Amino acid sequence: MGIAGVLEDARPAAAMVVVEFIFSALQIFIKLALDDGMDVRVLVAYRLMFGAAFLCPVAFLIERKKRPPLTVKVVTGLFLCGLFGITINQNLIVLAIKLTNSTTIVTALSNLTPQSTFIVAILSRMETLKLKKPSGRAKLTGTLVGLGGAMLLTFYKGPEMKFLRNLGHTGLSHAQGSHQQLRPPPAEGSRILGSFLAITSCFSYAIWLTIQAKVGQVYPCHYSIAAMVCLFGAVQSTLLALCLHRDTDHWRLGLNIRLYSSAYAGIVASGSAFPLMSWCLRKKGPLYVAMFGPLIIVFVAVMSSIVLDENLHIGIVLGAVLIVAGLYMVLWGKAREEDEQEADEPKAKAVGQDEELGKETTAVNGES
């Protein structure tokens, strides 16, 4: 294989590293906007407004000739995708960041999505526990290990790890140093509540994945789905925010971190990272994309320590390690399950052919 072939094979990996870095920076921008006093619900609403304004024209231009007509069933599915995957999920995540005062905790817990999806699939009877097969045992074990890591991360803090903190007294963290010192650390109750909200957001995201998989089968236009889901989420989140904050002070944007965070979240994170991830999905499949998820924990841990001067404790590290270990167990189980299904298909065909042959033989014998 020549250099061109090596570079071609490296493109999906490079794209996923860029995607995870974009999402890591998003967590930092969200935290900075919250530290500036921006309301959780207003931040989510503005993010989705920017995202919808960017994605709707892109979807119209790219898919205008191949977009099938919208039906009531598709619109209902997209509305529910916006509700569970955007409105509920994003509000829970941003509120979790505010309550825990830690982007690292929330980012680590967000890697429970595969385990949450597995649990939702079991509860909705879309999947059954196949404990007699290695794939079923791996997915169950990975789910339990990941949930154990989440509980450890939530309830155990442990001693502080100071080797990254020593790097965090430069740049933006130095500029915000006085603000960081004035803001008291979160109460233990707020930290635990925020952690559970982050876990709940994973289940909301899992419900969205289940619904969107069905919508995608009848409406195979990825950009249009993303644009309409973002639009529904923007409407829902804006109505929610307006119910709680109607004064203009909460909604006013200037040339400050609130505008930069909202624009980055909507245009860069939602608008630019999504096409990259969709391209990787088409090239390598969902398992390949999911394997890069733990990178965001590393990026956010380093960036939070340097930019936000955030404390990193041993409990967070141990919990994150267990969550990542559980994630890879579930992914291995899914990959093994696909191999088992492929291996079972020839056997099923062979059994079917034997049954047909048996019927033909019986018929011949009957005629004789």
Side-chain angles (χ1 to χ4, degrees), residues 25 28 30 36 39-40 61 65 138 146 162 168 179 193 197 200 204 220 232 277 294-295 313 324 330 339 352 356:
I28 306 301
I30 288 174
D36 193 59
D39 181 74
V40 170
L61 292 173
K65 294 182 179 179
K162 298 183 179 181
H179 179 65
L193 176 60
L197 289 180
T200 305
S204 173
F232 275 125
M277 186 179 291
L295 264 183
H313 294 268
V324 171
V330 173
D339 294 338
E356 289 294 329

Side-chain angles (χ1 to χ4, degrees), residues 39-50 52 79 81-92 94 229-245 251:
D39 181 74
V40 170
R41 289 155 289 269
V42 174
L43 173 58
V44 174
Y46 270 127
R47 172 190 178 174
L48 297 173
M49 289 180 198
F50 277 102
F79 177 86
C81 286
L83 180 64
F84 288 101
I86 302 291
T87 304
I88 296 176
N89 176 263
Q90 292 301 312
N91 276 281
L92 287 175
V94 177
V229 168
C230 205
L231 183 61
F232 275 125
V235 173
Q236 294 163 358
S237 298
T238 301
L239 291 175
L240 175 63
L242 286 173
C243 289
L244 299 170
H245 301 293
W251 292 88

Side-chain angles (χ1 to χ4, degrees), residues 23-312:
F23 286 144
S24 303
L26 171 63
Q27 307 300 318
I28 306 301
F29 272 108
I30 288 174
K31 183 66 165 55
L32 291 173
L34 293 175
D35 288 349
D36 193 59
M38 193 173 189
D39 181 74
V40 170
R41 289 155 289 269
V42 174
L43 173 58
V44 174
Y46 270 127
R47 172 190 178 174
L48 297 173
M49 289 180 198
F50 277 102
F54 180 84
L55 282 172
C56 286
V58 171
F60 176 78
L61 292 173
I62 294 178
E63 298 175 340
R64 66 184 183 278
K65 294 182 179 179
K66 62 178 182 178
R67 190 166 42 241
L70 285 170
T71 63
V72 175
K73 184 178 179 180
V74 171
V75 172
T76 303
L78 292 173
F79 177 86
L80 292 175
C81 286
L83 180 64
F84 288 101
I86 302 291
T87 304
I88 296 176
N89 176 263
Q90 292 301 312
N91 276 281
L92 287 175
I93 287 177
V94 177
L95 184 57
I97 292 175
K98 181 177 181 179
L99 289 173
T100 60
N101 195 30
S102 172
T103 56
T104 308
I105 289 177
V106 176
T107 302
L109 291 172
S110 67
N111 277 271
L112 285 171
T113 297
Q115 291 94 325
S116 304
T117 306
F118 177 64
I119 293 173
V120 169
I122 292 293
L123 294 177
S124 61
R125 297 184 179 180
M126 294 181 64
E127 190 169 333
T128 56
L129 278 173
K130 301 175 182 177
L131 298 181
K132 293 182 179 180
K133 294 187 175 182
S135 60
R137 293 194 295 271
K139 288 196 288 186
L140 179 61
T141 303
T143 299
L144 295 176
V145 170
L147 291 176
M151 293 301 101
L152 176 65
L153 186 149
T154 300
F155 293 106
Y156 175 69
K157 204 170 184 178
E160 181 183 351
M161 301 178 68
K162 298 183 179 181
F163 67 95
L164 283 176
R165 189 174 173 82
N166 295 331
L167 302 174
H169 299 284
T170 60
L172 193 52
S173 67
H174 180 74
Q176 292 202 355
S178 59
H179 179 65
Q180 294 281 343
Q181 292 173 1
L182 291 174
R183 190 179 65 254
E188 190 65 23
S190 296
R191 180 174 174 271
I192 293 173
L193 176 60
S195 298
F196 277 105
L197 289 180
I199 296 171
T200 305
S201 74
C202 294
F203 284 93
S204 173
Y205 195 79
I207 294 172
W208 166 69
L209 287 175
T210 305
I211 298 172
Q212 179 148 325
K214 295 181 178 180
V215 174
Q217 292 174 355
V218 297
Y219 198 82
C221 297
H222 302 298
Y223 286 96
S224 297
I225 287 177
M228 286 185 281
V229 168
C230 205
L231 183 61
F232 275 125
V235 173
Q236 294 163 358
S237 298
T238 301
L239 291 175
L240 175 63
L242 286 173
C243 289
L244 299 170
H245 301 293
R246 297 183 182 179
D247 55 309
T248 57
D249 289 339
H250 281 95
W251 292 88
R252 186 177 292 113
L253 291 177
L255 291 176
N256 51 29
I257 192 62
R258 300 188 183 194
L259 173 63
Y260 305 146
S261 298
S262 302
Y264 180 90
I267 297 173
V268 181
S270 298
S272 300
F274 175 77
L276 275 177
M277 186 179 291
S278 298
W279 178 76
C280 290
L281 280 168
R282 289 195 302 270
K283 294 283 286 185
K284 293 291 188 177
L287 288 178
Y288 182 86
V289 171
M291 286 174 59
F292 286 85
L295 264 183
I296 193 173
I297 302 178
V298 179
F299 287 151
V300 169
V302 175
M303 294 169 69
S304 296
S305 295
I306 295 175
V307 178
L308 302 174
D309 202 20
E310 187 176 300
N311 300 338
L312 186 64

